[in-house]
Every structure is written in C-alpha cells, then in structure tokens.
Amino acid sequence: MDLSFEDVVLKGLASDGGLFLPKEIPTLSAEWFAVRQNTFSFEELAFDILSLYISPSEIPPSDLREVVKRSYSTFRAKDITPLVPLDPKQNLHLLELFHGPTFAFKDVALQLLGNLFEYFLIRRNQDHEEKKRHHLTVIGATSGDTGSAAIYGLRGKKDVSVFILHPRGKVSPVQEAQMTTVLDANVHNLAVEGTFDDCQDAVKALFADPIINATHNLGAVNSINWARILAQITYYFHSYFSLRRSSSFREGDKVRFVVPTGNFGDILAGFYAKRMGLPMEKLVVATNENDILHRFWTTGYYEKSAVHGRAAEGGLAGDGVKAHSDGVRETLSPAMDILVSSNFERLLWYLAFDAYGGHDVTESQRIAGEKVAHWLGELKVQGGFGVEPSVLEAAKRDFESERVSDEETVKTIKAFYSAAVTQETDPDRTSHVRGYILDPHSAIGVTASLRSIARAPPPKTHHISLATAHPAKFANAVDQALKNQEGFDFRDVLPEQFVGLEQKEKRVTTVPEGAGWEGVRAILVKEVALELAES
C-alpha cells in the first residue's frame, strides 16, 4: 500500500494496527558527506535529511525550511543537540538531547511533528468553510515524557485537538505538572485510574474502533508515528559530524552509538542512519531490568518476562514508577519500564527482508510482512517467539546489547558526578561543581558504553552515548544517588522553568477505574464537540 507522507503523518498508525515504513532507504554518496560534514548546522542537516524522504511536490523546499526553522527555534542550545566530552581518556562523548521545551529527547521529534500537523491542516483547510474543515484528533499514551513533549508541540495549533492519557498518580510530579498546567483549549489531559498499559491499550483500541474513526480523524504522536523516527535521524548525523570536527578524532577512527531504550524508537532512527551510510561500527541497545530487547540479542527469543508482587517493586514513586498489572518491573528509569517494545516490529521487518529475501523485491517484501505477522501473532497468543539463527545473525551485524540494573545506574551517576568534566557551554546546568549529573536513563546508556569500551577500546574507537533527559525530570533518583556527595545541592541544577511549576493552575479529566476505552471515547467525543463549538 502506497501512501503520501502527509497521510502517514496525519494517520500515524495503519488501519490494521500495523506500522508504516518508508518505501526505500536512500543511500548517501561520499560527495553528500563531503559537502555537509564540516559546516552544516543542525537545521541544515535536518532539512537535507527530511528532503530525502519528503517529495518537494508534497512540501516545497521553502516551506520545509520554514517548518524546520520554526521547530528548532524553541531549543535553548545553539547546536540543538550538542555533543559534549564525558570521559576524554576513553573517547566517551555524551549527546545531549534534552535542550528542548520539556527537557527530554522527544522534543526533537515532537516539535517538528506538531508543525507538520499544522502545515498539512492549514493547506487542507485553506478553501473550506469552518464546518467543513479537516479537524485532527491526536491521541497518545504516556508515562511522562511523550505527553509533555506532544502537548508542547501541539498547544495552540488550529484544527488540532490533543488527548494525552497518563496513569493517575504514576508519573512524576514534574512530568504531570508539565502536562496539566498547559491550559490551551485544544489540550486535554486524561488521568486514567489504572496503569500505563491501560492507557496504551485504550489508544490502540480507539485507532481500531470503526465508530470513532467514522466521525473523527485520529492521529498518533507516540513513537509509532514514522515522522518521529525520521526527525531523530538528524542527530545521529549531526553528532557524528561534530565528532569528526573535534581534535580527538582521527581519520579511520570507528564510532559506536549507545542508546538507552524501551520502545526502540530512538535507536531505530540510528538504524536508519546506518542504513543510509552513516559510518558507525555498532548500535548498542541499553536496557534497564525490563530487558526483553537484551534477551532477544542474547538468545534469539523475544519473550515477555513478567514479574509480580515484591519482585516487581522498585523505582521511586516520585519519579513516576509505573504499576503494571502485566508484570513490568519498576525501576529508577521509568520511561524504559516496558514489557514489549512498540517499534521493534519495524526492525523485525528489515531483519526478515534481509534473511529471507531474494532478487524479487516485491516478493521479498511480502515474505517479510508475513514473517512479522506470524511472529507478532505468536507474541500475542503465546507471549513470545523465537527467530531463526539467520535472523539473529542479521540483528547482530548492526547491534549489540547490554542490561543495566538500578544498582549499576546509581553507581554510574555517583561516579560521573565525582569526575571532573570540562564543557565549553552548559545551557542547562548539568555540569556541576564536581562533575556531570546524569539522569537515570542517560546513566544506563553510559554504563552500557563503559562495557562496550572494554570490547572496543580507544584510541581507535569513539563512543557516543545518548542523554535522553535532564536530571531534574527524575529528581528523586538523582537525589537518592547524590544526596550524600560533598557539594551536591539539587537546587543548583534545577532549571528555572521547573521552579513553582507544580503550584500552577491545572486542567485534567479523570477517567474512572473500569471505564475502559469506551469511557475514553465518550470523553473524547464530548470534549472535541465542546472545543469546536467554542472555536
């Protein structure tokens, strides 16, 4: 099925529940790299990479440049996603992705996605009367970061209503306040009496519901939306070019990217970058104790591993640990507390295509689709599936994996706080009196990086570890790790945007226990009708 980029962005999810893939991945020439690697800014790279996947007949180049410019004008760092040295002796670098409006890596994609939504809707509605306008109803589930980033990307946009479901009392106070203190009329926060999985199940059910789809145009903002993956490709190229321009890089040096991940969207963007020709030796998957991805790369089996009762307990309620009825372990890195990874099926398709494909591309695509459908069917019915050795071998060509415990996470936060770190700029004050303050998710990536360094040491190999959130977003975990450290005072690292945030006016609707997705649908229909009547 061929769809336009516009349709893929506005729909987000296929009608059968499947995920969209680009028809082809462009391969970049040596000339393409030579022109861009020394002088191009983040915005210029973003424009060029987006242009490879978006036809000028869909978005004229001048319009696309303006969309990109507007999307990244909200970032506090000049380089948008700066690369900073973390341990120069080990060629370890940190890619800071948290300089956007909500201090999380998801801003990189969701600022762009919000502007794409607006661009397409303005164009669709330019000759329509008010009652005939195309109105988009965006729905998403969040454990914290996705919700606030989506809301900040869509707030105030005309012809868009955004509904974000979060488990009531199970996101951090900062994350909840970032969402619920946004009072724009088109923003609707739904606090669900239940778990994150209840929220996610409700969203999936709504996309599959013929009743709501007959009356409302639904759109997705979770990492299943292809535009989010596409937007994240840019910072892999930008960080690689930044590294090449540094004094520590020598021609012929190898590069590994290490990515803390739960739903596999962030690291999937790196996979696309690698397929496009970005020189990277490996992508390292870094999981917390919810390690379904690590177990896949270790064993070739992708299986739910549920834990319940005391075995599932952990993490800190103040940072938004999620209580899961299906047995996800609670950790200090709650944004990665998942049972299955929603974007992993995209990688599975490419692995199946490589393992089973032949000379006929169309036939290979069909076989890959059938394989993925079979595996996901086994996951749904049996709780897991295994892949053939050829598929696992294909996965290991591009990826390695590591699992990091809470204890190891805390140890890494302490170690890098105690180490001296020199940075030219520090717009968000993560460089402290003593050293660098990592949030728990970024600490997982750094821990995995240190293990990878043992396998691929300097001076010939560099590691770029992705820092996905500002430490203030997970203050309780950071405070637990550093409270007894000399000179530590969390107030020194707290961004001014967070001061007094929890005391501001809030607007939120509670979804009572047992209401189910039908209850969410009823709220959605009512709120959209009220919003349109008042617009």
Side-chain angles (χ1 to χ4, degrees):
M1 176 174 61
D2 290 337
L3 293 170
S4 68
F5 179 71
E6 179 176 344
D7 287 337
V8 167
V9 170
L10 294 179
K11 183 69 175 173
L13 187 69
S15 55
D16 63 357
L19 304 184
F20 296 120
L21 295 171
K23 195 169 184 178
E24 61 181 34
I25 301 175
T27 302
L28 302 176
S29 66
E31 290 74 20
W32 190 96
F33 281 90
V35 168
R36 291 160 181 82
Q37 64 188 16
N38 292 323
T39 60
F40 270 42
S41 67
F42 185 96
E43 292 92 332
E44 289 170 325
L45 278 173
F47 169 79
D48 276 7
I49 289 167
L50 292 170
S51 297
L52 296 169
Y53 292 90
I54 303 170
S55 168
S57 64
E58 282 207 72
I59 305 181
S62 59
D63 290 355
L64 184 57
R65 285 188 189 277
E66 181 57 34
V67 167
V68 169
K69 180 181 178 181
R70 193 162 64 249
S71 298
Y72 298 118
S73 66
T74 58
F75 281 65
R76 296 175 300 281
K78 179 183 176 182
D79 287 344
I80 312 301
T81 59
L83 186 71
V84 303
L86 191 62
D87 188 341
K89 291 182 179 178
Q90 301 206 70
N91 283 347
L92 175 58
H93 315 270
L94 200 66
L95 178 55
E96 293 184 338
L97 302 176
F98 49 74
H99 295 290
T102 71
F103 295 78
F105 81 97
K106 295 173 183 180
D107 288 322
V108 178
L110 285 165
Q111 286 292 300
L112 178 70
L113 184 59
N115 285 312
L116 287 171
F117 281 153
E118 183 177 54
Y119 177 84
F120 289 135
L121 291 171
I122 288 174
R123 188 168 66 186
R124 285 191 177 196
N125 292 329
Q126 60 185 355
D127 297 322
H128 291 179
E129 299 175 6
E130 195 67 34
K131 291 184 178 180
K132 295 181 180 179
R133 298 177 70 85
H134 185 100
H135 187 88
L136 184 67
T137 302
V138 172
I139 52 175
T142 187
S143 57
D145 280 343
T146 295
S148 56
I151 286 168
Y152 276 70
L154 293 170
R155 62 184 303 180
K157 303 291 188 189
K158 188 173 178 59
D159 297 315
V160 181
S161 300
V162 54
F163 289 80
I164 299 297
L165 286 65
H166 70 271
R168 185 172 180 266
K170 298 183 178 74
V171 299
S172 76
V174 166
Q175 291 171 320
E176 182 180 358
Q178 282 187 308
M179 294 187 289
T180 58
T181 57
V182 177
L183 304 180
D184 298 66
N186 72 322
V187 173
H188 307 271
N189 281 286
L190 306 186
V192 177
E193 293 282 9
T195 68
F196 170 71
D197 300 284
D198 295 326
C199 300
Q200 192 150 264
D201 288 346
V203 170
K204 291 178 180 178
L206 287 166
F207 274 103
D209 175 40
I211 296 176
I212 193 70
N213 280 279
T215 57
H216 293 67
N217 301 301
L218 301 186
V221 290
N222 289 74
S223 58
I224 54 176
N225 192 305
W226 158 246
R228 277 190 58 176
I229 306 299
L230 176 57
Q232 291 170 300
I233 294 172
T234 299
Y235 52 68
Y236 284 91
F237 281 87
H238 185 256
S239 61
Y240 174 77
F241 292 156
S242 296
L243 176 60
R244 280 189 62 90
R245 293 193 295 268
S246 72
S247 59
S248 65
F249 189 88
R250 298 288 182 270
E251 199 64 41
D253 284 0
K254 298 176 181 178
V255 180
R256 289 179 165 219
F257 285 87
V258 186
V259 187
T261 190
N263 274 321
F264 207 74
D266 201 2
I267 197 166
L268 184 67
F271 171 78
Y272 280 109
K274 193 173 191 296
R275 283 285 175 109
M276 291 166 69
L278 186 66
M280 64 174 84
E281 185 184 45
K282 290 286 184 182
L283 286 155
V284 181
V285 177
T287 78
N288 64 14
E289 294 171 42
N290 296 290
D291 59 353
I292 187 171
L293 292 169
H294 176 62
R295 285 184 283 111
F296 172 80
W297 264 276
T298 303
T299 67
Y301 286 87
Y302 188 77
E303 298 174 301
K304 298 179 183 179
S305 180
V307 290
H308 298 276
R310 291 186 178 182
E313 293 176 359
L316 296 168
D319 281 346
V321 294
K322 297 173 289 189
H324 291 256
S325 59
D326 60 2
V328 171
R329 185 185 298 275
E330 299 172 351
T331 74
L332 295 175
S333 47
M336 294 162 58
D337 289 349
I338 53 89
L339 199 63
V340 296
S341 298
S342 58
N343 269 292
F344 188 59
E345 64 186 80
R346 280 185 163 120
L347 178 67
L348 286 173
W349 188 91
Y350 289 106
L351 296 179
F353 183 90
D354 291 347
Y356 303 111
H359 296 295
D360 188 317
V361 173
T362 302
E363 178 65 11
S364 299
Q365 291 173 340
R366 183 191 64 79
I367 293 172
E370 289 179 352
K371 279 289 184 181
V372 172
H374 174 72
W375 289 329
L376 295 182
E378 287 190 337
L379 177 66
K380 184 176 182 179
V381 175
Q382 301 175 18
F385 61 86
V387 299
E388 292 81 355
S390 59
V391 176
L392 182 58
E393 182 182 343
K396 289 183 175 182
R397 281 197 293 268
D398 293 321
F399 295 90
E400 292 179 357
S401 70
E402 293 290 348
R403 175 190 187 272
V404 179
S405 69
D406 276 355
E407 182 180 356
E408 292 165 327
T409 301
V410 169
K411 183 178 179 181
T412 296
I413 294 172
K414 287 181 178 179
F416 281 88
Y417 173 75
S418 300
V421 177
T422 302
Q423 290 181 233
E424 295 179 5
T425 59
D426 185 22
D428 284 327
R429 302 161 71 195
T430 47
S431 184
H432 204 255
V433 175
R434 294 289 300 282
Y436 196 98
I437 300 179
L438 296 162
D439 96 283
H441 306 79
S442 304
I444 286 173
V446 170
T447 307
S449 296
L450 296 176
R451 296 179 191 166
S452 179
I453 287 170
R455 297 189 296 271
K460 286 296 186 180
T461 304
H462 293 258
H463 282 74
I464 296 177
S465 189
L466 275 59
T468 55
H470 189 282
K473 296 206 74 168
F474 301 94
N476 292 284
V478 174
D479 193 59
Q480 175 178 299
L482 300 180
K483 61 184 177 183
N484 295 322
Q485 300 296 304
E486 180 184 350
F488 174 72
D489 186 338
F490 203 89
R491 290 173 296 181
D492 294 338
V493 78
L494 189 67
E496 62 181 27
Q497 293 89 335
F498 287 8
V499 177
L501 183 64
E502 295 170 41
Q503 283 70 53
K504 290 185 177 181
E505 180 184 353
K506 299 175 182 177
R507 185 161 62 87
V508 61
T509 300
T510 299
V511 180
E513 187 175 359
W517 69 269
E518 295 94 340
V520 175
R521 180 179 65 186
I523 294 171
L524 184 151
V525 171
K526 176 185 175 183
E527 292 296 328
V528 170
L530 288 171
E531 186 184 329
L532 292 176
E534 294 172 0
S535 64

